[in-house]
Amino acid sequence: MSTKKEQIDQLIIHIIQGIEDIKGNDIEIIDLREIENTVCDYFIVCSGNSNTQVDAIESSVRKVVSKALQDKPWHVEGLENSQWVLMDYVDVVVHIFQKQIREYYDIESLWGDAKITSIESNY
């Protein structure tokens, strides 16, 4: 039986795979575990170039995670306009932004005390 940390690590790996499959940009993992009163352990943030790509990234993450881990998001919001889609997997929350919306909200700076890891894309 795997530990909770191993389950979360596998979830993160598959979320990133789903993002990379659709060439999501600027992927960052924000580790919130050392910050008090957070709603989850990690944020994964990425950008898409259009609402079509944001939708495709959300769909890809959902499919990859479902196939690999038989897990689905507890809640998804933002699909109406696909400028900022949030996928809540309870311990990990995925934020898929259009670039200009990500720059406007700049959630990385809101969590400046957190450890942020940038993922290098292979494309």
Side-chain angles (χ1 to χ4, degrees):
M1 175 163 260
S2 61
T3 66
K4 181 178 177 183
K5 181 180 178 344
E6 290 169 337
Q7 291 172 346
I8 292 171
D9 289 347
Q10 284 298 306
L11 178 59
I12 290 170
I13 287 167
H14 289 94
I15 289 169
I16 290 170
Q17 179 189 340
I19 294 168
E20 288 180 332
D21 285 353
I22 308 298
K23 298 188 178 0
N25 302 312
D26 305 320
I27 304 168
E28 294 186 324
I29 302 170
I30 303 173
D31 184 343
L32 303 170
R33 292 174 299 170
E34 300 297 320
I35 298 177
E36 290 184 34
N37 301 320
T38 57
V39 295
C40 63
D41 291 342
Y42 295 93
F43 283 165
I44 298 178
V45 183
C46 71
S47 300
N49 296 318
S50 66
N51 58 350
T52 303
Q53 187 181 19
V54 168
D55 282 342
I57 292 169
E58 183 275 337
S59 179
S60 177
V61 169
R62 184 185 300 260
K63 287 176 186 169
V64 169
V65 170
S66 177
K67 184 175 181 179
L69 304 175
Q70 291 73 50
D71 197 1
K72 62 182 180 177
W74 176 73
H75 181 73
V76 176
E77 58 185 67
L79 290 172
E80 303 80 29
N81 61 17
S82 300
Q83 293 182 338
W84 176 1
V85 173
L86 180 142
M87 303 178 75
D88 185 349
Y89 282 95
V90 182
D91 294 312
V92 180
V93 174
V94 183
H95 298 270
I96 309 165
F97 286 97
Q98 285 191 38
K99 185 176 171 109
Q100 71 277 13
I101 302 298
R102 182 176 179 176
E103 290 170 358
Y104 179 81
Y105 286 102
D106 192 19
I107 67 170
E108 292 92 339
S109 71
L110 295 175
W111 299 98
D113 294 345
K115 179 183 175 211
I116 298 177
T117 304
S118 296
I119 304 299
E120 293 295 321
S121 300
N122 295 329
Y123 42 86

